[in-house]
Structure formats: C-alpha cells, structure tokens
Amino acid sequence: MTALRPGATIGILGGGQLGRMLSVAASRLGYKCAIYEPGGDCPASHVANYHHKAAWDDVEALTAFGGACDVVTYEWENVPGTALDVIGKLAPIHPGRRALEVAQDRLTEKDFLTGLGLRTARYRAVADAAELRETLAEFGGEGILKTRTLGYDGKGQVRLSSADEAEDAMDAMGGAPAILEAMVPFEREVSVIAARGPSGEVVAFDPGENVHAGGILRTTTVPATLSTSQRTDAALLAGRILNALDYVGVLGVELFVTGTEMLVNEIAPRVHNSGHWTQLGCATDQFEQHIRAIAGLPLGDGARHADVRMENLIGYDMDGIPAILSERGAQLHLYGKAENRAGRKMGHVNRLIG
Amino acid sequence: MTALRPGATIGILGGGQLGRMLSVAASRLGYKCAIYEPGGDCPASHVANYHHKAAWDDVEALTAFGGACDVVTYEWENVPGTALDVIGKLAPIHPGRRALEVAQDRLTEKDFLTGLGLRTARYRAVADAAELRETLAEFGGEGILKTRTLGYDGKGQVRLSSADEAEDAMDAMGGAPAILEAMVPFEREVSVIAARGPSGEVVAFDPGENVHAGGILRTTTVPATLSTSQRTDAALLAGRILNALDYVGVLGVELFVTGTEMLVNEIAPRVHNSGHWTQLGCATDQFEQHIRAIAGLPLGDGARHADVRMENLIGYDMDGIPAILSERGAQLHLYGKAENRAGRKMGHVNRLIG
C-alpha cells in the first residue's frame, strides 16, 4: 500500500466522540475528514471538513460518501454490512470486514479467540430459559447473559446469580440471540491498545488498568499493576489477534487478569475508550496511530513519556468541570454533545500522576 | 465575566495554522468554532464547524459572523480595524483593541514597552535616506530597517551595515513608514508565552529558546539556557505587559538575552509559533490556554512535564516527513496547506528530548 497523499480525504462512519478525536488526529497529519452520520450537530462534525448527514440505508448518500473518500474507517463496530457493501466498492475500508464480523457477534468473537488458543471466560449460546438454567448450573450457578449483537457499555446484559432469574433474564433479551458467559473472579481488568499497519508491523501501547462501574468504564490508569512478563504477554496476545484478522488500524483488547493468567474479555475493532490516556502520555496517541495505519504511514512508536490516569465524565460528572479546569496537570476533553443525560459519556479528563 | 457556556461558538479571524490549532483546542473544551477567512480551503476551516468565506471589507458578512459568535478572537494581528469595528458591536473581541494597536505598529510597540520601563533595542522612526544615514551613524553604523506595520517572518526588513546602503534600504520600504532598530549583540533569543484571564490572573509557560534562519523561526527548545532568576524575570516581564494592556488571551514575547539583561524584541497579541512545543510538553497547551482565557475559564497551570524541541517545517522541509514519521518521540503537526512553496510554514514537529 502506498501512503495516502497529503490533503486526501478520510471517511469516518459514525459521528461520536471517537470520530471527533480521529478527525483531529487526521488533521495533524494533513488529511481532511468526512463524517457519515445520520444525526445532525454530532460531535465529529464540529471538527471535520465534511458531514454527510444521511441514513445508513440511503444508497445515494453512501455512494456519494464513498466516492468522495480516499479511505474509509469507522468509529462504531455496528455499521450495517449493507452500508459497507456500497462504500466498499468505491473506497478501501479499514479495518476489514472480518474484524467487524468477529466483533459484531459475541459468539463469533469468543469462537475466534479460543480458536487462536487464547483463553476467554466459559461461554455458551443459550436459546431459551431451560438451556440457560442448565448452562448456569454448569457454570457454577452464576453468569452474565448478553445479547450476541449490538451491546455496549453494559447494555443488553443481565447478571444472574440464581436459576430462578432465568425466565426474567431471557425476557430481558427481547428475543435476541443470547450467550451466557461464566463469571471470572478476576483481580483486575487491563486493556491493550495495539495497531497494525498494512505491511504487517504491529505496535502496542502500554497496557492500562481499567475500573468499571455500572458496566461503563470509569478510569484507566497507566502503568497497570502487571509484571514485566504480563506486559509482554498482553502485547503478544494483541499482536496475535491483529495478525489473525489481517487487521489494519487500532484494536482494543480487554483482558481479565487472574493470577498468572490473562483471559480475553472482548475486542473492539477501533480506537477504544481505555486508550484515551495516550493523548497525554504519548507523542503519538491512539487516534493518530489509527490514522497512520489506515493511511499506510509508518506507525508511531507507542512509547509512553508520562504516567496518566484517564477518567470518564459521564452524565452529571459534568458538574465537576469547573473544579477540573482548576486542577494542575489535568487535560480535559469534552465531546460537544448538546444534550446531557445519566450514563452518557460527555467527556474525559487525562491526569498526570505519580 | 461569566464563563462561556458549553456549546457556544467562538469566532476566529484568520484561517491559517494558528486558527486551525485554536479550533481544535476549543473543541476539547466543548466549543464550536467559526472561521472568518477570505481564502477557501484554508487550514482552519478543515477542523472548524463554520467557515465564513468573505472579504475583510464585506460588512454584511462581518455582521453575520459577529452575530453568530459568542466571543471573537484572531490568529493574525493585522485584521483591519474597520472589520473589528463591525464585529465589536455584536460580540466581545479578545484580546482587545489596545493590544492590536500596539502590536500593529513597531514604533507604537517600542514606545509602549520603553514606557513600561522595559528595555528594547535602540530605535527611531526614519522618514528618508538622510535621516536613516544619520541614525545609522548614531547606532554604530549598523541596524535593521523595518516597515512600521505589516511585517512578519523577516518580510519588510533590511539589514544595513553601511551608510551607502541607506538609499536602497529606503527604496525597499516602498514609501511605507519605517523604523531603524540598532543591532543587539545577543547571546540567545528566548520567548515567553503567557496568558491573562479576564479577572487578571496571569500564567506563563517556561521560556523557550529560539533559533531563526532567514528571518523565520526554525526551532524552539525548552528548557532554554537561562538562570532561575532570568526565568522568573522573563515571566514577570510578560505579566507586566499583559497587565498594562488589560489583556485577555495568550501573548508571545520575544526577548534578546545579553549578559544579565533581557531586551524585548517584539510582542505578538496571539498564540505564537514559539509556543507550539506546549502541545507535547504541557497538559494545557498554548492554544487551549488562549481559549480558556477568552472563554473566561480558569487558566491551565502552565507546568511542563517533558523537555521538547519544536522544529518548523518550512517549504521543502516537507520532503523529510517520511523520516519524521519513523522517528521515536516525534509528534508531527501538518497544516493541510494545499500549496507548498519556499519559505512557507507547512507544519512543525515536536520532539521529546533529553
């Protein structure tokens, strides 16, 4: 792949905060961005050259978008395949379809990971309450029932600790195909943000340690509490996933750490919330790294020059902004969302620590 | 001044690279930007929500722009006063008119600085070749003749080392009012980037050490080679200028260091090329600091967590980009200018050092 020429246009499917920060990173490398997003006044459109505001099934708009872009990427793994079919005839799309297929379905994802010899929580697709009760018993009476597709930030998930809850849990799935995952008594959750270029080079950022609350990421701290060999293992494991998918771009890998083992929780075929700390800690952040990869430029080195804790600002955390603005060593990132509500990611703050 | 509400629109007069980086910084704080720039496809428009493409004397367009903005700033100190008159009736403009008046005329600037008790190079307005020869003799036979207004990056300047050159030098001014400045045998040039908020708080970044070539800044290195007391003096001096101008925003102050003395070379009422290093070295960079000030938010702390050297990429320096992309610890910033030419600032690179 030859490198994308300066001044070329990068298409981004989805207009949320990840698209916003990708667009800013693309500008640093001299590229323009076009956002495809049905919603108006979306976060990414504020800092992009073009906004194609149209529905995901608007073939004419998708065609115009594909024709106007030199390369296309996405900030959201649930872009409909039909939309990608239209665009893909007009411009290369990175990461490729295989990565999306794997990430869009929890069952496919787990089968892919275990097929690579990586460890995950025990899992099984369950079709009805009877099957759920049976699997639950096998998994020690506990588990998390998840929709196979379209879940994020804890949505489409029910935690079960008794067989009595099986009927209600299946009802909560609303008829969507579901998968039961065994509970993992993990000590900590970490994630690795890694990138792969079109020529196969792989670069991983230092793993971050994540704390969730209510199914939503609250903080990521770097460095994570890991041994040197765990750090290396995490990077190697991410590289293995990237290579198996012939991946181009940045990938997020969430890992459960239990004793000496690391289990893969899930992968995200895009820049990831747990990689936002790189904006303050690295010369090349995850957003620029993704743009470098899909543009066929050399990847940045991934080295970290500062210890950082990233904290998400969710819903009414926004009330804390005046205090954050007065803090030393705090870097605020707001997403420009017009409407605030409980549970909505409104921004994040990166803090120098240590 | 109450803080600008999230989602408000900041107007930026001028669409070059400084406007581009200001727009990105404003987005981090949740603001939208509107660019006023006569040229199409300008660097700032790529990452701004709105681009008002109109001439500086288009009263209708200026009125529409002023009406659409909650606060207005500029990335260029030569915005015509008539344009500011129109906009100023519709939205507050920061920094204010006094700062522009001072910075737009080298004679007014020097009189202002010496009036504050600060030292500058010896200077005198010269009206013709005879007066130039006479002043040159008084300044030791050497000096730099500069147009009083509209000069930048060494343009509108002639260096003289003999009275014989007086006629040609005056001719080069093309009839524009001119000022002769004595040569300063300085050891180094440093600059201080400092900010002042509407309530009068002042924060200075660490001084950077500048190297120029052909009248254009080549590199800024932080920390500069200065004693602790020189560092303090530089910050105090910048604070004095900011207070005297009742300034709101970021100001750049270029200083000549000679022995224990510091002479002010010039001031720029805006973010400054020699402050680009803050993008890699500080949690709050100069662009965000400027936006904080004009938005009435608390200023960032200005602390530096990394040593950085900034190098400008001028004209055919762009040929070095593939190599820069492969460097460790290098952060590239391209400005998205469609046309390259000798002497044009196309981008810069911030490098971690030490």
Side-chain angles (χ1 to χ4, degrees), chain B residues 3-28:
Chain B
L4 201 62
R5 69 183 160 77
T9 298
I10 295 176
I12 301 175
L13 299 168
Q17 62 267 20
L18 302 180
R20 179 180 176 94
M21 294 183 280
L22 283 169
S23 185
V24 165
S27 80
R28 284 202 302 268

Side-chain angles (χ1 to χ4, degrees), chain B residues 215-240:
Chain B
I216 307 185
L217 182 67
R218 292 299 321 198
T219 63
T220 301
T221 304
V222 187
T225 315
L226 290 174
S227 67
T228 306
S229 62
Q230 282 177 317
R231 261 171 241 282
T232 308
D233 285 350
L236 290 173
L237 181 157
R240 195 134 171 224

Side-chain angles (χ1 to χ4, degrees), chain B residues 185-237:
Chain B
F186 62 86
E187 289 143 33
R188 56 183 54 89
E189 196 213 280
V190 301
S191 54
V192 188
I193 309 298
R196 185 172 179 273
S199 64
E201 64 171 326
V202 167
V203 173
F205 291 105
D206 214 1
E209 184 163 342
N210 301 326
V211 175
H212 287 81
I216 307 185
L217 182 67
R218 292 299 321 198
T219 63
T220 301
T221 304
V222 187
T225 315
L226 290 174
S227 67
T228 306
S229 62
Q230 282 177 317
R231 261 171 241 282
T232 308
D233 285 350
L236 290 173
L237 181 157

Side-chain angles (χ1 to χ4, degrees), chain B residues 12 50 99 200 207 227 287 298 326 328:
Chain B
I12 301 175
Y50 312 102
S227 67
F287 302 99
S326 298
R328 283 184 74 84

Side-chain angles (χ1 to χ4, degrees), chain A residues 244-274:
Chain A
L245 295 171
D246 194 20
Y247 196 92
V248 174
V250 160
L251 175 91
V253 184
E254 290 184 15
L255 299 167
F256 293 135
V257 181
T258 67
T260 57
E261 275 196 322
M262 283 189 288
L263 279 63
V264 182
N265 178 28
E266 62 179 33
I267 62 176
R270 51 168 169 77
V271 287
H272 194 259
N273 194 166
S274 67

Side-chain angles (χ1 to χ4, degrees), chain B residues 76-98:
Chain B
W76 178 58
E77 59 269 40
N78 292 310
V79 175
T82 49
L84 297 169
D85 290 339
V86 176
I87 295 167
K89 293 196 183 89
L90 299 157
I93 303 176
H94 297 299
R97 289 301 276 277
R98 176 73 181 131

Side-chain angles (χ1 to χ4, degrees), chain B residues 101-235:
Chain B
E101 282 159 15
V102 164
Q104 283 180 348
D105 184 324
R106 291 183 193 281
L107 183 62
T108 312
E109 183 185 14
K110 291 266 194 304
D111 286 345
F112 163 75
L113 294 166
T114 53
L116 283 181
L118 302 176
R119 285 210 55 198
T120 67
R122 294 179 70 187
Y123 64 96
R124 187 174 306 158
V126 290
D128 55 36
E131 205 172 353
L132 175 54
R133 269 192 300 271
E134 190 183 309
T135 312
L136 205 54
E138 205 177 311
F139 287 0
E142 281 192 311
I144 305 175
L145 187 69
K146 299 179 177 179
T147 53
R148 280 175 51 178
T149 61
L150 291 170
Y152 73 97
D153 285 352
K155 292 183 174 65
Q157 304 195 2
V158 178
R159 186 168 165 171
L160 294 101
S161 52
S162 142
D164 300 342
E165 295 159 5
E167 293 286 346
D168 286 351
M170 281 311 292
D171 286 352
M173 298 294 107
I179 179 176
L180 184 72
E181 298 179 10
M183 298 301 293
V184 175
F186 62 86
E187 289 143 33
R188 56 183 54 89
E189 196 213 280
V190 301
S191 54
V192 188
I193 309 298
R196 185 172 179 273
S199 64
E201 64 171 326
V202 167
V203 173
F205 291 105
D206 214 1
E209 184 163 342
N210 301 326
V211 175
H212 287 81
I216 307 185
L217 182 67
R218 292 299 321 198
T219 63
T220 301
T221 304
V222 187
T225 315
L226 290 174
S227 67
T228 306
S229 62
Q230 282 177 317
R231 261 171 241 282
T232 308
D233 285 350

